[in-house]
Amino acid sequence: MTVSQDAQRLLERLTAPIEVGVALLEIFGFCAEHREACWGWIPLGDEQIEGYPLDKVVSRARTILRDAFLEERPVEGVAELLGVRSSLLAIMGSGRISPENSAEVVRGLRAIDDALRGFHSARVVGISDSMKAALLRGQLRIGKPLAIIDQFALYPRPARAKVPERGQGDAGMLLQHVAVIRRVADFEVRLVVHLQDALADQTQFKCVGVVPVVHHHGELEWQSIGATRYRVNEHPSTSDAIKNRVSRALDEIASQEAQVVLMPELVSGPKLRSAVAARLRERSSRGEATPLITLCGTSLEEVAGGTRNQAAVLDSEGDIVWTQNKLHAYRFSAEEQSAVGFPLGSAPADRQEAIDIAPSALVIVDLNANLRVVVLICEDLIQAPPHAVAIQQMGVTTVLAPIMDRSPSLRPNTSLPDLGWLEHGALSYIRHPGASTFIANSGTLVVQNLDQHWSYAHAFTVPRNAGGWRAVPAEEAGAAPIGWVLDLG
């Protein structure tokens, strides 16, 4: 269809009685289809969207749209209400989108977005809230969306200190309060609400700890599966030594008031998870500082008839808050195996991680009104479909990434690490102030730079953090540190 035909269809939809969520999706779809509708207003300046022009539309439309949304009834004359009728007629007549009429379309979209603000489950219930608003918040607290409309789901976004810079993404960047998620076959977005009073209105974790857990691939049990696959598990003969090492590291990191602790990929299992949970409960029962959440690494778990590489996140009492399955299997090349000491034997061959990945789900967790957290396991950090779009649209603020990787090589003629894929993956998710990606690596495949934090722990933040990681030293002389701590202010 031409832009004129799309504008005519949109005008017809907004002229007839239409539900508020459907109206939002119709304008959103028009902007997504025609990029000049997203960003064509830029030459006019921000004042053409923000400030008085938008306030005028919002003040006229907000109560009408909000009440209709809560009462699940259609609204008549939305095109006039939002002030987009003349713009759509102009687009139909000229066959093009101008800066002026694109500004009106965006203002209309933002006016609907504004009408749906304040429904985040962490928001304090206002005295003017109706019973239906309170009931909707109750549904959001158990992870339900604001609305499901055909193949789309609408969710509230977390609060942000600043809206992302324009032009950094797609039409979703025009919205501040609502996330539009397209529902995809064999992929589910799950919202979990786990509000933490201790975080108050924090927009970022203040202190982060990383526990590498494993210092050498020989501390894990490696198994070749057939000719093309492999798996990694806890090693019975080293599990006690690892548990003691992790408990000591956890105590030291917790005493420095880390709010979140990360452990890496495929270093965990029933024994370690049980030991970590017990240690957290013990510290909490004694009133000692305890992380709000602890990502207890990942392990292979049998789930619904399949094998999953699964991360488990524990609360301060040691209880599992959520789990996240890996979304993409890793290919461990023969070259990589040779470079890290042949963990699968002296005759390396390219092998695929022996896990199941379908159907898949992305678990997104709200810890307060500002912090929305997700776990991406190693390969998932650099793979795009379909989770990357969901993360960006949902306004995720914090990515926790357990990985298993070699130590980064040094940049030519410097003592600085070349972070390569880690930096690329992490930075793709931190596009607004307060956003962070934290990465935890083990010593499983690390064969050099054993005493450098960048072999194990990484933090990518906006604004960039100027602090440095502090090592938690091992008891054995010359051994690699057993943990790392970073203060973020």
Side-chain angles (χ1 to χ4, degrees), residues 254-255 257 279-291 316-317:
S255 69
E257 299 189 344
R279 198 66 166 189
L280 292 171
R281 281 193 292 271
E282 182 182 352
R283 291 188 63 87
S284 180
S285 67
R286 296 198 302 250
E288 297 175 341
T290 307
S316 59
E317 300 291 332

Side-chain angles (χ1 to χ4, degrees), residues 260-264 293-298 311-314 374-376 400-402:
V260 58
V261 173
L262 287 77
M263 300 178 196
I293 58 171
T294 298
L295 198 169
C296 193
T298 83
V313 181
L314 313 182
V374 71
V375 173
L376 294 181
L400 308 179

